[in-house]
Amino acid sequence: SCETDRARFVGRGGTPAHPAAMQGPSPLSNTVGSVLDPIISLRRTVTLPPHESAIIHVLLGVTENREAAQVLVEKYQSARMADRAFDLAWTHSQVTLRYLNATVAEAQLYGRLASALIYADPARRPNSSLLRNNRRGQNGLWSYGISGDAPIFLLRVSDPGKTEIVRQLIQAHSYWRMKGLTVDLVIVNEDVSVYRQSLHDQITSLISSGLEAQMLDRPGGIFVRRLEQIPHEDRVLLQSAARIVVDDENGTLAEQLRNRTELEPTIPALVPTRSMWPDSPPAAPAPVPARELSFQNGYGGFTRDGHEYVITLQPAQMTPAPWVNVIANPSFGTVVSESGSAYTWVENSHEFRLTPWSNDPVQDTTGEALYIRDEQTGQFWSPTPLPARGKTPYVIRHGFGYTVFEHTENGIASELWIYVAIDAPVKFSVLKLRNVSGRARRVSVTGYWEWVLGDLRHRSLLHVQTDVDLKTGALLARNYFNTEFHDRIAFLDVSEPTRTVTGDRKEFLGRNGSPAHPAALKRARLSGKVGAGLDPCGAVQVVFDLADGQERETSFRLGVGRNPADVQNLILRFRRGDASRVALESVWQHWNRTLGAVNVDTPDPAVNMMANGWLLYQTLSCRLWGRTGFYQSGGAYGFRDQLQDVMALVHAEPALAREHLLRAAAHQFREGDVQHWWHPPAGRGVRTHFSDDFLWLPYVTCRYVTAVVGIMTAQTTSRVTVSLTALVSFPAKCTSRHLRS
């Protein structure tokens, strides 16, 4: 049997470790055709008598057409042909090694090095103290002809008598290139004696006399540079950007590969004092209270006033797809789904993500998570349905500018509020815990965030540096390698004065661990390990006691500042008293005022429900401010798209419509064409000649003037009309100056 739909195989909210297709003995669905998320899955049932064996061949290939595929399948279904394919592969590998003049041991060595090039290994990079000194970005590599997009292998040589390691790495570069792995091999001549030119000539001779002669100073090639031509800050940059750094002073290449100096912190394991709560087990949690909802669909519905969409998930139940809330202010925001999965950005939801964006509608993976742990039994769960789901129902409430998760597990009732300050780049995760177990409890709350500080995590993880601010105790992170946002500093803070932290994702998740079962929650505390060269994350853990019936509130804050002073001001501002509550009330006031400016009353209640709040909220929070969603995280302004969006704001927020008209006019060229889209803050984008772009600036300006300026005096209206005539008749001359006049 077969399966081609990943959603069917894995199951909504499932994982490849426990896919839905493996939960029963029934055959796969045998569905074929067009699917949104395609896979290949084949199932064959084999009966094995005692002491018998079976050999199964799995074939995976690609051809130009169906007929060729059928020919190859028929050919390789023969066991004899499969054995012959393995024999030919062995022969080909021997021919390749002979061509490279390499031994089997050397090929194995190059393969082990390749793993550290693909998956960064802190043990192969310089020590943390050197990496912390880097203040240069990726553009600092360009003057040396190195793009910084491909993995970098840095070799430092200083002894003319130790060129064997140079020969091996040139050979390794050929081997990687033949296998399809693009690597920039950078060789720095550090000989400062009078013989440095001799060493340089030896290196270039080894390159030019071999297979890599044509790869000198080419992308994905070999770069030879002299130490005296590289300033100190660029030497630090090269070592920081490299995934592997070796030199000729620390032995052979094999010896340096064997030397692993990485030290793991020793953290005591959590020792439960109780295996379970004996005596009398906690009472079963009360059923979820019924809510009077409109337009219910089996998962949720709107409250009567239309201000919230409420979802109730029974144990193991998931919505058909992620149902998200885009929560934003003009320069900062987050997307949170009904499962609790989220990602956060600042200024540009594509170019500067604080945490990873994933548009996987099946698994709904996340780089942000919260955990509640019973310190006496070691049991832990999330206050959200993912990643560590509890055994009882969850209630999720998406509102204007906030999302709330309600849950009760093991006698602990939790209420998690997610929102963004309306006037600051700060995200709040406010967790309220109430002990309803009938006995005193000791619990811990742990927050976890995977750092990106760029567009994609795999591109920036080498360069994220974490630290603990000595003045506030907050966990900081920054990425100097990011050209446009190198000065931004992300921070994590918690309302509890006593906390433990870590900036090491490997420590938190554990080798082959996952957010559903992190290794850190099997230990007594977090290690406090921060610095450069780690697999970066931000994790904060607090521990406290809850008396029976007691309620306690813990506030986690994720934010960004432009400099250390700005960061400290934001941290101290939102630490004061009820600052979290004040920020939430400001969110309520803003959206009540904005969405209450226009009220629509039609005979259709469904139209009224969407038009009175939700459509305008979506336009402003998602389309204009966030420019993101679950399935697309664009971050750019579209010349046509956002002009269309702001027409919905001419009554509720006319100032925002005017502001965007000026923004769009500034991206029109004198010839009349425009940037079809551009990324703030630098304005990088594409210049096109799409004809429909020409229409929208004058059209939206007319709409804005008709709606907003129509009440002006006759004299003022006359002047505006003249300006509009020039705008409509001569779009090639339209500039922001015309609109301001």
Side-chain angles (χ1 to χ4, degrees), residues 117-185:
L117 289 168
I118 299 171
Y119 302 101
D121 183 353
R124 309 287 173 228
R125 304 185 69 209
N127 59 55
S128 177
S129 59
L130 184 143
L131 297 176
R132 289 172 65 92
N133 292 329
N134 179 46
R135 295 295 183 271
R136 300 295 308 278
Q138 183 175 353
N139 55 356
L141 299 171
W142 300 344
S143 61
Y144 301 97
I146 304 167
S147 69
D149 294 331
I152 296 174
F153 194 122
L154 177 63
L155 170 62
R156 302 166 58 191
V157 293
S158 58
D159 189 343
K162 297 180 179 179
T163 56
E164 172 61 17
I165 193 171
V166 179
R167 182 200 66 79
Q168 277 191 305
L169 283 175
I170 295 172
Q171 189 181 69
H173 192 270
S174 296
Y175 181 81
W176 296 328
R177 192 160 57 86
M178 292 182 67
K179 299 295 184 180
L181 177 60
T182 300
V183 179
D184 287 334
L185 175 58

Side-chain angles (χ1 to χ4, degrees), residues 444-464:
S444 68
V445 178
T446 305
Y448 170 73
W449 295 263
E450 292 181 0
W451 293 123
V452 177
L453 306 190
D455 55 351
L456 298 173
R457 190 172 189 278
H458 71 268
R459 294 176 56 176
S460 62
L461 66 86
L462 288 178
H463 313 291
V464 174

Side-chain angles (χ1 to χ4, degrees), residues 395-697:
V395 175
I396 304 97
R397 296 156 42 203
H398 286 322
F400 299 133
Y402 65 92
T403 291
V404 184
F405 297 88
E406 301 173 1
H407 180 63
T408 300
E409 186 88 8
N410 294 328
I412 302 294
S414 63
E415 186 176 283
L416 173 64
W417 286 73
I418 306 290
Y419 54 96
V420 167
I422 204 65
D423 61 345
V426 177
K427 173 183 175 178
F428 293 86
S429 300
V430 180
L431 180 63
K432 302 176 183 178
L433 298 182
R434 188 173 72 259
N435 182 0
V436 295
S437 66
R439 56 176 66 89
R441 306 289 289 274
R442 184 168 179 80
V443 299
S444 68
V445 178
T446 305
Y448 170 73
W449 295 263
E450 292 181 0
W451 293 123
V452 177
L453 306 190
D455 55 351
L456 298 173
R457 190 172 189 278
H458 71 268
R459 294 176 56 176
S460 62
L461 66 86
L462 288 178
H463 313 291
V464 174
Q465 302 180 15
T466 56
D467 199 2
V468 175
D469 183 56
L470 297 179
K471 181 177 180 180
T472 63
L475 185 62
L476 309 181
R478 67 189 308 166
N479 178 10
Y480 290 103
F481 202 69
N482 189 310
T483 302
E484 292 184 9
F485 300 94
H486 63 276
D487 57 340
R488 305 301 194 275
I489 305 174
F491 66 85
L492 285 170
D493 192 29
V494 66
S495 55
E496 304 291 336
T498 303
R499 79 285 298 268
T500 59
V501 303
T502 185
D504 187 0
R505 176 173 172 265
K506 181 180 178 182
E507 172 199 328
F508 189 87
L509 296 182
R511 182 76 171 95
N512 291 325
S514 72
H517 302 281
L521 294 187
K522 299 176 183 178
R523 304 190 185 108
R525 56 176 175 79
L526 302 179
S527 70
K529 184 178 180 181
V530 295
L534 305 174
D535 189 344
C537 79
V540 182
Q541 186 176 84
V542 296
V543 183
F544 48 82
D545 293 307
L546 278 178
D548 182 33
Q550 181 183 358
E551 181 175 289
R552 184 157 183 161
E553 180 177 292
T554 303
S555 173
F556 292 92
R557 297 175 287 272
L558 168 65
V560 178
R562 292 180 172 271
N563 51 60
D566 188 25
V567 168
Q568 291 181 354
N569 289 337
L570 287 171
I571 292 172
L572 295 176
R573 170 187 169 186
F574 291 108
R575 274 187 180 179
R576 299 189 189 113
D578 59 347
S580 297
R581 179 69 184 182
V582 171
L584 179 59
E585 290 176 351
S586 297
V587 169
W588 288 337
Q589 293 170 6
H590 168 82
W591 288 113
N592 287 338
R593 181 181 66 255
T594 301
L595 305 181
V598 176
N599 186 72
V600 176
D601 188 15
T602 75
D604 189 340
V607 171
N608 298 342
M609 187 72 73
M610 294 302 296
N612 292 322
W614 287 102
L615 295 181
L616 194 61
Y617 172 72
Q618 170 88 355
T619 299
L620 184 52
S621 185
C622 173
R623 295 286 306 156
L624 185 63
W625 285 348
R627 303 181 300 284
T628 189
F630 183 85
Y631 294 101
Q632 181 183 15
S633 173
Y637 285 105
F639 193 89
R640 170 194 59 207
D641 296 356
Q642 269 70 49
L643 280 171
Q644 293 173 343
D645 294 333
V646 298
M647 284 197 292
L649 304 175
V650 292
H651 298 296
E653 290 283 1
L656 294 180
R658 180 184 185 277
E659 176 185 326
H660 187 71
L661 283 168
L662 299 177
R663 183 185 295 118
H667 288 81
Q668 185 177 36
F669 299 100
R670 291 185 178 276
E671 293 78 7
D673 60 312
V674 305
Q675 275 189 293
H676 187 61
W677 55 258
W678 68 92
H679 275 293
R684 291 180 293 104
V686 295
R687 179 178 183 178
T688 68
H689 295 82
F690 293 169
S691 59
D692 64 334
D693 282 336
F694 302 158
L695 165 69
W696 290 102
L697 185 61

Side-chain angles (χ1 to χ4, degrees), residues 267-287:
I267 313 165
L270 178 71
V271 180
T273 57
R274 296 176 182 269
S275 58
M276 301 197 49
W277 287 101
D279 307 335
S280 56

